[in-house]
Amino acid sequence: MCGILGVVGEPGALDTILDGLKRLEYRGYDSAGVALLDGGALLRVRTADGTRSVDALRDACAGLNRSATVGIGHTRWATHGGVSVANAHPHVDCGDGLAVIHNGIIENHDLLRADLVAKGHVFTSSTDTEVMVHLLEDELKCDGDLRAAMARMLPQLRGAFAVAAVSAAHPDRIVAARRVSPLVVGMTDTVAYLGSDVPALMGRVDSVLAVDEDCVVELTPGHAVVTDVHGVVVDAPVVSIDFDVEVADLGRYADFMTKEIDEQPAAVADTVAERLENLFDQPLDADVVAAIDKIVLVGCGSSYHAAMVGRVALESWAKIPAEIDIASEFRYRDAILSPTTLVIGVSQSGETIDTLEAMKHARRKGATVVAVSNIPGASMTREANASLLTKAGLEVSVASTKTVLAQVVVLQLLAISLGEARGVLDAAAATALRADLQTLPAALRIAVDDVAPMKDVANALATASSWFFLGRGSGLPVALEGALKLKEISYARAEGCPAGELKHGPIALIEPGVVVVAIVLPGPSAEKMYSNIAEVKARGATLVIVAPHDDHVVEGLGDFVVRTVPSGDAAAPLLAMVPLQHLAYAVARARGLEVDRPRNLAKTVTVE
Ligand code: G6P
């Protein structure tokens, strides 16, 4: 979703901002813009060319001189007001001397706008953001101090925001603030940078300051001062960034999804190695761990599916009752939480607002909260009592792949450790489970390289418009994830369904032309799956069966049978996810679609 990049004190700030916005494209956006301070003048350029907007912005800026050292840039994902140049950020005040960019939603924008219009302000967009630039314009009349004006504006706003402003009257600075939405600051000796998340500043700085909620940060060349709404200087925690910039580059791959699927063995190997060394990045006290009597996992999208797989391990190996919630729903039930409840927020970005808010809610209710994230220093890691970071490297493609697998192995490693700590998993069993996870990368390599079977399926079925993915037990999250991948990038109607629920409704939709993808995992659920496969076959569905290499029962049942790589039970769902990634990718490509930035979707979802 929306991205922010600000630069103070760098010759050629415009190019730094354009490069940074290019890097932020992966979050998902539809328009872009930049405001520069140059020789006492404010210069603004905006474009609204969908996912080409940053390239269009670069073209539109081609003739500009590069002397400005201060500027702010933005990628917008439309919420209030359609995709248009008028609605693109930055927005400017009535005097064209002040510019504002914003991530998040101002919930009381209607009331604020009515007041401002009554005072004579002229609005030029339909956005909620524009109220802020006019509010700042009014507040600046008080004392001309941009930082103080920002501080006076904050209590007037309801909702979530990361906001940054530049003013022609203050040519050497950016002033910014946040509530809920993330905002980070990085510095070198001579330059200060502002970003909407840690990856925005990757490659420019090796640590960031995390700005607290309802605080104002003033950036000048090489400096940043964080103050509260009363102007009192506050400390901002410093978080180091240890990402390798190379990981964000496409290299020899056609697109990021192909690259990230291919990186899965390494993502799992690196995560297992790191987390075997040290389970937590920020540890939990041993007595807190020993007292845990209930676990609640929360997440969204693919992270929710990873949490579903992890839940099985937590119950089986640690013998702790584990619940799971869609993060956006968690706050709407009165979950029974206490200090002995462990709430685990699972999120590759560590910024998804629904998961972040669920974690905050859990902390307010006294639970112990852990973040599973791929981004060091992400908001969730700061909100949690402890963090378990995955080591998958930056994931750029909107459809998650390598981070999902890394999340599962982290949850499995947590389950093993909790089982040992509680004395319910003996040392030999724990060692065997850890050894399985260490051999997983080699099995994943085989699965990842085995592209051809699903390519054949995709070429035969690319035009099918209705798909069902069926699974049982650990096969259910695999089925749900397979359906999500397909709908995200190929736009086919795809539904993931517990195979046992088929007969309670979905089977009414099964008819010739419908594709059913059945996930058969080894174990007791397999026999029940055969029955469900027979039921849909009898109704004329085209059947794609994903099954273990030695499952001979399925041979005569499917139109297509795709084999999974042999493994232990814990690894089986992970290995079964890979062919479904191949399927989604191949269907999307056969339909001529670009996979990395599917329509309407965003990588980092910062609105509720
Ligand atoms: C978006 C992405 C999904 C992702 C979900 C949760 O919808 O498109 O790929 O699974 O957000 O994101 P998170 O960063 O919390 O894992």
Side-chain angles (χ1 to χ4, degrees):
M1 289 192 166
C2 304
I4 285 177
L5 196 90
V7 179
V8 182
E10 186 161 270
L14 174 57
D15 290 312
T16 303
I17 293 169
L18 291 170
D19 291 348
L21 293 183
K22 187 78 191 157
R23 190 168 275 173
L24 284 172
E25 280 185 316
Y26 83 98
R27 289 166 63 104
Y29 81 114
D30 43 54
S31 45
V34 61
L36 301 165
L37 294 177
D38 196 9
L42 181 89
L43 182 71
R44 174 175 64 152
V45 184
R46 298 178 293 170
T47 53
D49 294 41
T51 54
R52 272 213 68 259
S53 296
V54 172
D55 291 338
L57 187 66
R58 197 182 286 277
D59 294 346
C61 291
L64 299 180
N65 78 44
R66 265 39 187 177
S67 52
T69 59
V70 179
I72 50 176
H74 190 261
T75 49
R76 173 176 187 252
W77 188 86
T79 58
H80 296 63
V83 179
S84 65
V85 170
N87 288 335
H89 303 202
H91 293 287
V92 293
D93 69 336
C94 299
D96 284 346
L98 184 65
V100 157
I101 55 177
H102 161 229
N103 291 0
I105 290 176
I106 303 301
E107 287 165 1
N108 57 337
H109 69 100
D110 275 347
L111 288 173
L112 293 170
R113 180 185 277 248
D115 278 357
L116 288 159
V117 169
K119 286 183 187 168
H121 288 270
V122 178
F123 281 72
T124 56
S125 79
S126 329
T127 64
D128 54 333
T129 300
E130 199 183 347
V131 297
M132 286 192 279
V133 75
H134 294 288
L135 278 175
L136 276 178
E137 181 182 10
D138 266 9
E139 293 298 342
L140 269 170
K141 286 177 191 152
C142 215
D143 53 12
D145 180 336
L146 187 55
R147 191 208 57 74
M150 181 72 84
R152 285 193 294 272
M153 176 177 74
L154 299 188
Q156 302 173 54
L157 304 173
R158 283 208 320 268
F161 52 82
V163 54
V166 289
S167 153
H170 304 76
D172 61 342
R173 65 200 55 214
I174 296 174
V175 172
R178 68 170 282 257
R179 183 185 301 155
V180 181
S181 304
L183 195 63
V184 292
V185 172
M187 277 169 296
T188 65
D189 289 346
T190 53
V191 184
Y193 300 98
L194 184 72
S196 45
D197 60 13
V198 172
L201 303 191
M202 224 170 57
R204 308 219 168 264
V205 292
D206 51 20
S207 66
V208 293
L209 295 182
V211 181
D212 252 346
E213 291 198 33
D214 281 277
C215 282
V216 177
V217 57
E218 189 167 39
L219 291 85
T220 51
H223 290 97
V225 178
V226 182
T227 46
D228 65 14
V229 280
H230 309 294
V232 177
V233 175
V234 292
D235 280 342
V238 179
V239 184
S240 62
I241 314 176
D242 63 354
F243 268 137
D244 179 355
V245 187
E246 288 300 310
V247 296
D249 293 331
L250 207 45
R252 65 186 164 87
Y253 296 93
D255 46 59
F256 279 105
M257 188 170 176
T258 310
K259 176 174 187 262
E260 287 157 6
I261 289 174
D262 196 48
E263 285 171 347
Q264 291 183 114
V268 166
D270 292 350
T271 300
V272 170
E274 181 86 11
R275 297 281 70 93
L276 278 177
E277 183 87 6
N278 251 327
L279 181 62
F280 287 102
D281 297 82
Q282 309 150 229
L284 276 181
D285 286 345
D287 47 346
V288 173
V289 172
I292 293 166
D293 57 10
K294 174 172 142 179
I295 294 175
V296 182
L297 297 127
V298 291
C300 304
S302 296
S303 293
Y304 175 77
H305 301 149
M308 284 178 81
V309 184
R311 174 196 185 187
V312 174
L314 288 161
E315 291 200 317
S316 304
W317 304 340
K319 303 278 180 251
I320 304 175
E323 300 173 2
I324 183 160
D325 260 301
I326 297 273
S328 55
E329 287 297 314
F330 179 63
R331 281 173 288 163
Y332 304 119
R333 73 180 174 104
D334 209 2
I336 313 295
L337 305 175
S338 77
T340 57
T341 310
L342 180 66
V343 173
I344 306 176
V346 183
S347 166
Q348 73 79 23
S349 64
E351 303 292 353
T352 303
I353 198 163
D354 288 322
T355 311
L356 184 61
E357 289 299 307
M359 291 166 68
K360 287 185 186 169
H361 174 77
R363 265 198 101 158
R364 281 194 295 270
K365 291 188 88 178
T368 302
V369 176
V370 162
V372 171
S373 168
N374 194 44
I375 308 288
S379 299
M380 283 177 210
T381 64
R382 301 197 299 272
E383 202 53 52
N385 299 93
S387 300
L388 288 158
L389 293 185
T390 50
K391 291 282 173 184
L394 186 69
E395 188 173 73
V396 172
S397 189
V398 165
S400 292
T401 52
K402 62 178 180 174
T403 57
V404 181
L405 270 57
Q407 287 166 340
V408 173
V409 297
V410 156
L411 292 169
Q412 291 182 334
L413 286 167
L414 175 66
I416 299 168
S417 290
L418 288 177
E420 281 180 309
R422 292 162 55 81
V424 294
L425 192 67
D426 63 42
T431 305
L433 287 169
R434 289 195 177 102
D436 275 355
L437 288 176
Q438 285 169 297
T439 59
L440 179 56
L444 277 171
R445 181 78 269 153
I446 300 168
V448 162
D449 290 345
D450 194 20
V451 183
M454 278 305 189
K455 216 171 179 178
D456 291 345
V457 174
N459 287 337
L461 304 178
T463 55
S465 56
S466 182
W467 297 65
F468 282 87
F469 288 69
L470 305 182
R472 282 175 181 264
S474 294
L476 176 59
V478 178
L480 297 177
E481 178 62 7
L484 179 62
K485 283 282 93 58
L486 186 68
K487 82 178 100 181
E488 279 178 312
I489 62 170
S490 80
Y491 314 144
R493 189 172 296 258
E495 196 177 315
C497 177
E501 278 294 290
L502 193 65
K503 54 194 174 291
H504 300 295
I507 202 163
L509 304 178
I510 303 296
E511 60 182 352
V514 172
V515 182
V516 173
V517 182
I519 317 302
V520 181
L521 295 187
S525 65
E527 292 210 331
K528 308 285 179 210
M529 283 301 300
Y530 303 147
S531 308
N532 300 132
I533 288 168
E535 289 157 12
V536 291
K537 192 176 163 69
R539 286 159 182 85
T542 302
L543 258 160
V544 181
I545 303 177
V546 177
H549 69 293
D550 54 354
D551 184 328
H552 302 298
V553 181
V554 296
E555 245 147 45
L557 297 178
D559 298 277
F560 302 87
V561 177
V562 176
R563 299 296 181 174
T564 51
V565 180
S567 73
D569 287 355
L574 293 170
L575 289 162
M577 279 183 188
V578 178
L580 300 186
Q581 297 166 349
H582 289 323
L583 175 65
Y585 180 88
V587 171
R589 298 299 298 152
R591 290 178 167 209
L593 296 167
E594 193 267 329
V595 295
D596 283 340
R597 282 182 272 143
R599 69 183 181 204
N600 302 338
L601 298 178
K603 183 75 184 158
T604 306
V605 181
T606 47
V607 295
E608 285 171 278

